[in-house]
Amino acid sequence: MRSDADMLGQIAYAFPFLLPGLWTTLEVSAITVAISTIVGALLGVGLVYGPAPLRWVVRAFSDIVRGIPILVLLFFVYYGLPITGLNLQPFAAAVLGLIVFKVAQVIENVRGAIGSIPRGQTDAAKAIGLPFPERLAYVIAPQALRRFLPPWLNGVTDAVKGSALISLLGVGDLMFGIQKVVGRTYEPLALYGFGAFLYFVINYALSLASRALERRFSYIRE
């Protein structure tokens, strides 16, 4: 049976090989969150205030995507889209699959945030003659943002955890690096445990930020 010193030695040996994969995981997560937040926010506003055809399309997209496992989305993008003539490299396919998943979450975050604003706020803005763009910018958005941030940040952890699946497409992320080192050392317990620790550190930091936001915005003046 391996001693603690041996396990630490395996981790120390593996760490330099895992750094590129860790960077790739952070890069994929950052790209996914940035793009999905912008696209999801626009579609979320469209779901609440858009014309009926747009609302139907966005509603169907959100419901369908949220009902599909992330792994299925990744495989569909990588193996399914080439049928349409769109051949993506593994990195691009992984990012696109995660973005689609995250956009559906952001849409619901935006819908819930806007829906939680009392109707009297928008009625008052209409009463003083504010057109819709100004009502959205100066009345709705500031209040909705407070309600949007905590659940959105919680959802960011889903993107980080979901990124662990992109190794199945051959992307050299943290999990892919761990698998390669395990193939050399045949020490899965220590390395997978260390990988779990790294994911925990990232997500725990995000959780702490989420709790801070929840405390900050727990008392909101209407």
Side-chain angles (χ1 to χ4, degrees), residues 47-116:
L47 176 62
V48 178
Y49 298 110
L54 176 61
R55 295 200 304 270
W56 296 336
V57 171
V58 175
R59 178 80 277 165
F61 168 82
S62 177
D63 289 345
I64 292 172
V65 170
R66 287 186 299 115
I68 299 175
I70 304 178
L71 183 59
V72 175
L73 285 174
L74 293 174
F75 282 167
F76 174 78
V77 172
Y78 188 59
Y79 295 109
L81 290 185
I83 298 176
T84 66
L86 182 60
N87 293 281
L88 298 177
Q89 295 298 316
F91 184 89
V95 170
L96 179 58
L98 291 175
I99 286 174
V100 170
F101 166 77
K102 186 61 183 168
V103 163
Q105 284 190 333
V106 175
I107 289 173
E108 292 304 311
N109 294 152
V110 172
R111 181 196 61 78
I114 294 176
S116 67

Side-chain angles (χ1 to χ4, degrees), residues 12 20 25 39 60 63 85-86 95 121 146 169 174 183 215 220:
T25 293
V39 176
D63 289 345
L86 182 60
V95 170
Q121 297 286 326
R146 296 181 175 187
L169 302 185
L174 175 59
R215 289 193 299 268
I220 302 174

Side-chain angles (χ1 to χ4, degrees), residues 119-173:
R119 181 66 180 270
Q121 297 286 326
T122 54
D123 289 343
K126 289 180 182 179
I128 64 175
L130 287 179
F132 175 74
E134 293 185 9
R135 291 201 305 271
L136 182 62
Y138 300 121
V139 178
I140 299 170
Q143 297 182 73
L145 180 62
R146 296 181 175 187
R147 297 160 170 83
F148 168 81
L149 284 176
W152 170 80
L153 194 50
N154 282 332
V156 171
T157 62
D158 291 333
V160 176
K161 289 184 287 188
S163 69
L165 297 173
I166 66 177
S167 62
L168 298 176
L169 302 185
V171 179
D173 70 327

Side-chain angles (χ1 to χ4, degrees), residues 168-192:
L168 298 176
L169 302 185
V171 179
D173 70 327
L174 175 59
M175 186 58 63
F176 187 80
I178 292 172
Q179 292 169 347
K180 288 182 65 176
V181 177
V182 168
R184 298 175 185 174
T185 62
Y186 300 101
E187 292 290 343
L189 180 59
L191 296 175
Y192 281 120

